[in-house]
Amino acid sequence: MKPLYPALLFGALLSQSGNLFANDATEAVALTELVVTSGFRPTAQEATPASVTVISDQTLAQQESRHLEDVLSLAPNINSAKGSSRARFYQIRGVGERSQFVGHVNPSVGVLLDGIDMSSIAGAASLMDIQQVEVLRGPQGTLYGSNALAGLINLRSNDPTTHPEGRLEASVGNYNSQSLSGVYSTPLNDEAGLRLAFQQNKSDGFIRNDHLNRKDTNNIDETFLRAKLRWVASDDLLLDFTGFYADINNGYDAFSLDNNRRTLSDEPGRDRQISKALALHSVWTGAQSYQLETRLSHSATDSDYGYDEDWTFDGFDPAGYSAYDQYRRTSDTTTAELRWVSLPGGEIFDETTRWTVGLYGFHQNQALTRTYTYLADDLLTDYSTRRFSVYGELETDLNDRLILTTGLRTEMSRSRYQDSVDVSYRKTEHLWGGRLALDYLLNENTTLYASLSRGYKVGGVNGGFTEAELAAELQGFTTETLWNYEVGSKGSYLNDQLQTQIALFYQQRTDAQLRGNYQPVNQQGFVDYLYNADKVNHYGAELQFNYALLSGLNLQGMAGLLQTRVKDQRAEIHRRDVAHAPHWQYQLGLSYDTGSGWFSGASLEGMDRFYFSDSHNTRSWDYTLVHAHVGYKTADWSVRLWGRNLGNKTYAERGFFFGNDPRINYDPRAYYQLGAPRTLGVTASLNF
């Protein structure tokens, strides 16, 4: 086999300990160092001057995780919004979207999977064969730009290996839940390797439809496939190809007039999505002072989301109505990036400064067809956006203990919107973001940092409604900016048995894009729109720790504190918290795993109540969930029993406030989408 060029080791393979394709974790009392790979160069989590959570594959397995929504309770100040079969939208420190209906969405939280932009299609964010999940909190104005105003979630799958290996895993549980997944990795020759992965998830769901006498109207039926090819084309060139396919055919029958898990819908909803994606990542090290990275990706998605608006059957009540609302959307996204990253020996300014410069392009088209009972004709919308960015970052050693990071990104964004009710919009914006950070090595165990960062999100139009439905002054919204001030500490103590992270932050949002809705007089349905609030402030604290008590015995946890406040006399929520911003949340887990034999674990996760919307005051209620697992494994197989929400706690994931019950004359009240009750199952795996 060809030897690996040292510069390639520095870049794409820094965290893989000299193995051409992947590494095998070793067991020890000291904690394994986690590496953040979503930045411009791989960096140890403890050396990253920002609040970041890295969730390893071992932790993902302990959580019995299938989808991104299953594991974000491990990161502080993260929340998600349902309103569909899977959470598609995420909030970091109280900033982020919660839904998409007629209007287009410019996500505040970016989601990447192997370099593929999943921000608008995160229903396909499967955890199939994932090496780690990285959650970066705060604006990533230099790193990613407009789609990362609040932060970035990066999923990285496992790479091909230098020797053949495979794994099969099957799981069964209550509610007729079944999951089957498999991975096979093999070298093709001395220069190339291939890794194939698949996963299929099925479940009846935990809703019973009494009218149809069915228990599967809120079902899960998902299939995911991925292929990764790594080719060491020469001593100077490494190529990674990724192909991804998702076929999601889930149901959506989640709301009940009685706020329980028994529905009466005669037209159960659906939440379907087919996504196809290709990505190329290359690393060229032909120069001595820098490496050139190229990233190309394209994804195409067809989705079909619809629901029974009245939640009942025709004839349920003499005063009742019957309506169905359906959204069929196509989305095509293409990204291209060139990035020059300095190598050791290529520093500038008297060899004190590592540097990165790059070019980035983004092009997305979205087309929507809305079919609604009370629309005479289908609503057709067409939205496209093009963005071009130039960015750079310098990382300067001021002395042996102090590092200054300066980054800047400028972006030109062009957006175009047109729909069948004659709403049109065209705009070109010039935007900028960046970061200043100081990283100070207090001693051999502790690092302190302080940072100032600026993020941005483009403006747009609330299309799809005539002026009779939505006043002209509400049809447009402007660019939002966010300033983030942060200080923190990271450390490794007790001979690397204890790792800690602490962060304090304050965020100022100007022209914050909040979501409102109302029901026009004498009209069916709701008008959902974005508007700009003058200022919104967010501040809080984050704590994370990981403690290897003994060999195989590990204690880890996190806590997040958050306060938000809207300042806008025009806003209905003036001086109130923003939506999906709980004041506190925590997670605490204890696990025992020596690598073979018996293993077990238990965890608690809790969250404070929060407002569901920026247009009404309905709130969730606080909760604590208990999860546990126990099993036995050898080098060749494993079996584990698991349970989630063992206390069968009732909690809400989404909520609305309006009138929909004819039995009480359509008086407004709160309605909730409830989270999963107690789930139990067994999982078996085989290595070969």
Side-chain angles (χ1 to χ4, degrees):
M1 180 172 292
K2 289 184 179 180
L4 185 65
Y5 194 77
L8 293 182
L9 180 64
F10 164 78
L13 307 177
L14 178 66
S15 62
Q16 302 189 18
S17 302
N19 190 331
L20 176 59
F21 298 112
N23 67 301
D24 298 318
T26 59
E27 298 289 335
V29 175
L31 292 167
T32 302
E33 183 179 70
L34 297 174
V35 176
V36 180
T37 62
S38 49
F40 292 133
R41 47 174 55 82
T43 307
Q45 181 178 240
E46 297 172 21
T48 305
S51 183
V52 57
T53 299
V54 179
I55 305 171
S56 67
D57 55 353
Q58 182 178 1
T59 302
L60 295 175
Q62 292 173 352
Q63 291 291 114
E64 195 64 30
S65 308
R66 302 278 181 261
H67 191 271
L68 178 59
E69 67 178 12
D70 298 329
V71 299
L72 291 185
S73 61
L74 299 174
N77 285 329
I78 308 293
N79 203 357
S80 63
K82 275 292 187 74
S84 53
S85 64
R86 293 288 197 185
R88 288 198 183 97
F89 300 102
Y90 301 94
Q91 303 82 45
I92 294 181
R93 295 175 174 174
V95 183
E97 287 62 50
R98 301 179 302 282
S99 62
Q100 182 178 23
F101 294 98
V102 172
H104 62 275
V105 167
N106 297 311
S108 297
V109 177
V111 180
L112 295 179
L113 172 60
D114 289 336
I116 301 166
D117 191 310
M118 306 281 288
S119 306
S120 299
I121 55 171
S126 164
L127 294 180
M128 167 185 66
D129 194 33
I130 292 296
Q131 179 181 345
Q132 65 185 39
V133 177
E134 303 168 7
V135 182
L136 284 68
R137 287 174 291 277
Q140 305 300 311
T142 307
L143 179 64
Y144 201 62
S146 187
N147 278 10
L149 174 81
L152 181 69
I153 302 172
N154 183 56
L155 293 83
R156 179 183 176 188
S157 65
N158 287 301
D159 294 321
T161 53
T162 56
H163 55 278
E165 66 176 30
R167 178 182 177 87
L168 284 174
E169 183 174 278
S171 180
V172 294
N174 56 343
Y175 301 103
N176 197 27
S177 299
Q178 307 165 41
S179 179
L180 178 66
S181 62
V183 177
Y184 183 68
S185 180
T186 183
L188 300 177
N189 52 42
D190 288 347
E191 292 82 29
L194 177 67
R195 189 177 187 95
L196 304 173
F198 78 90
Q199 182 180 78
Q200 186 175 63
N201 304 319
K202 291 192 174 184
S203 174
D204 286 345
F206 45 84
I207 298 295
R208 181 174 184 84
N209 188 308
D210 288 338
H211 173 67
L212 298 176
N213 194 27
R214 290 172 54 186
K215 59 180 181 180
D216 63 348
T217 55
N218 202 51
N219 70 306
I220 295 293
D221 185 357
E222 305 168 330
T223 300
F224 302 101
L225 303 171
R226 181 169 54 242
K228 294 187 71 174
L229 173 66
R230 170 163 288 183
W231 177 31
V232 182
S234 69
D235 289 347
D236 300 329
L237 182 61
L238 174 72
L239 299 170
D240 280 331
F241 301 90
T242 301
F244 177 77
Y245 175 79
D247 186 348
I248 300 170
N249 189 20
N250 297 343
Y252 181 58
D253 186 26
F255 281 90
S256 164
L257 293 177
D258 298 314
N259 274 327
N260 55 23
R261 295 190 176 99
R262 305 182 79 92
T263 65
L264 297 170
S265 310
D266 57 354
E267 298 179 282
R270 55 179 177 256
D271 187 12
R272 299 172 181 171
Q273 177 178 329
I274 294 180
S275 294
K276 306 170 187 176
L278 293 172
L280 165 66
H281 177 209
S282 70
V283 181
W284 178 77
T285 54
Q288 295 295 318
S289 59
Y290 65 87
Q291 68 180 27
L292 171 62
E293 297 184 43
T294 303
R295 301 172 187 267
L296 303 171
S297 75
H298 177 76
S299 66
T301 293
D302 294 316
S303 64
D304 183 355
Y305 171 71
Y307 54 91
D308 190 332
E309 187 179 62
D310 56 284
W311 305 345
T312 60
F313 53 90
D314 193 16
F316 169 75
D317 188 276
Y321 73 103
S322 180
Y324 192 84
D325 205 0
Q326 181 182 18
Y327 300 82
R328 288 169 291 168
R329 181 176 270 110
T330 62
S331 179
D332 294 291
T333 303
T334 301
T335 66
E337 183 172 14
L338 291 175
R339 179 185 297 176
W340 292 264
V341 182
S342 66
L343 293 172
E347 298 87 352
I348 58 176
F349 303 140
D350 293 329
E351 301 183 349
T352 63
T353 302
R354 296 164 292 281
W355 54 268
T356 301
V357 295
L359 306 173
Y360 177 80
F362 176 94
H363 182 208
Q364 184 177 78
N365 286 320
Q366 286 193 359
L368 167 71
T369 299
R370 182 194 185 192
T371 303
Y372 179 44
T373 302
Y374 293 102
L375 285 180
D377 299 301
D378 288 350
L379 172 68
L380 307 177
T381 75
D382 183 51
Y383 172 74
S384 69
T385 180
R386 297 174 183 267
R387 300 173 191 157
F388 178 74
S389 304
V390 180
Y391 62 84
E393 184 174 271
L394 302 176
E395 189 178 292
T396 303
D397 297 327
L398 300 180
N399 55 45
D400 292 341
R401 292 178 175 267
L402 191 61
I403 300 174
L404 172 65
T405 301
T406 56
L408 179 66
R409 187 185 192 101
T410 62
E411 179 174 308
M412 182 184 69
S413 173
R414 291 180 175 174
S415 302
R416 178 188 59 81
Y417 174 88
Q418 182 72 43
D419 64 31
S420 58
V421 294
D422 295 328
V423 176
S424 62
Y425 171 88
R426 288 178 180 269
K427 190 170 184 179
T428 298
E429 299 183 72
H430 298 276
L431 309 150
W432 69 275
R435 181 174 72 133
L436 287 173
L438 277 173
D439 199 11
Y440 178 66
L441 180 62
L442 181 64
N443 53 49
E444 62 180 8
N445 298 318
T446 305
T447 300
L448 306 177
Y449 73 87
S451 68
L452 168 65
S453 55
R454 185 185 193 271
Y456 55 87
K457 187 168 67 167
V458 299
V461 64
N462 293 304
F465 302 101
T466 65
E467 289 192 16
E469 297 170 311
L470 185 64
E473 63 269 19
L474 293 178
Q475 288 194 340
F477 54 93
T478 62
T479 300
E480 174 181 352
T481 59
L482 187 154
W483 286 94
N484 181 79
Y485 309 85
E486 186 172 322
V487 294
S489 170
K490 299 186 178 186
S492 181
Y493 310 100
L494 304 177
N495 295 320
D496 295 329
Q497 289 181 249
L498 173 64
Q499 295 174 349
T500 65
Q501 292 189 65
I502 300 173
L504 303 174
F505 64 88
Y506 181 80
Q507 297 185 156
Q508 293 178 308
R509 299 168 66 186
T510 302
D511 292 323
Q513 295 176 13
L514 304 184
R515 185 170 295 277
N517 67 69
Y518 71 94
Q519 187 171 19
V521 178
N522 299 323
Q523 293 188 44
Q524 294 290 343
F526 283 81
V527 175
D528 188 76
Y529 63 95
L530 289 173
Y531 67 96
N532 294 104
D534 287 339
K535 291 185 181 298
V536 181
N537 297 329
H538 302 233
Y539 59 94
E542 294 155 356
L543 166 67
Q544 301 172 82
F545 73 90
N546 198 356
Y547 186 17
L549 298 168
L550 300 168
S551 179
L553 184 63
N554 192 76
L555 177 69
Q556 58 81 30
M558 71 82 182
L561 300 175
L562 178 64
Q563 292 285 339
T564 65
R565 192 69 67 213
V566 178
K567 296 182 178 180
D568 190 329
Q569 295 288 347
R570 302 165 299 169
E572 297 179 15
I573 59 170
H574 174 56
R575 304 192 67 82
R576 201 206 77 178
D577 289 333
V578 298
H580 277 246
H583 288 172
W584 54 262
Q585 60 187 122
Y586 73 93
Q587 189 273 342
L588 184 66
L590 181 67
S591 62
Y592 176 73
D593 189 346
T594 60
S596 63
W598 290 99
F599 62 93
S600 62
S603 65
L604 300 174
E605 66 173 83
M607 183 177 291
D608 186 27
R609 60 182 184 172
F610 55 85
Y611 291 100
F612 283 116
S613 174
D614 295 325
S615 59
H616 59 76
N617 291 322
T618 300
R619 287 195 282 185
S620 67
W621 45 92
D622 61 90
Y623 64 82
T624 294
L625 307 181
V626 181
H627 316 304
H629 68 272
V630 62
Y632 188 87
K633 65 180 176 180
T634 69
D636 298 322
W637 58 268
S638 71
V639 176
R640 67 178 179 272
L641 303 174
W642 52 265
R644 296 185 61 80
N645 190 9
L646 291 175
N648 204 27
K649 182 73 173 179
T650 299
Y651 62 102
E653 296 181 311
R654 196 80 170 96
F656 299 95
F657 184 85
F658 64 103
N660 205 39
D661 192 341
R663 300 171 301 181
I664 57 174
N665 298 316
Y666 293 101
D667 289 340
R669 61 163 299 187
Y671 294 104
Y672 304 98
Q673 180 176 351
L674 301 179
R678 180 191 296 119
T679 54
L680 305 169
V682 58
T683 299
S685 63
L686 175 67
N687 301 321
F688 58 90

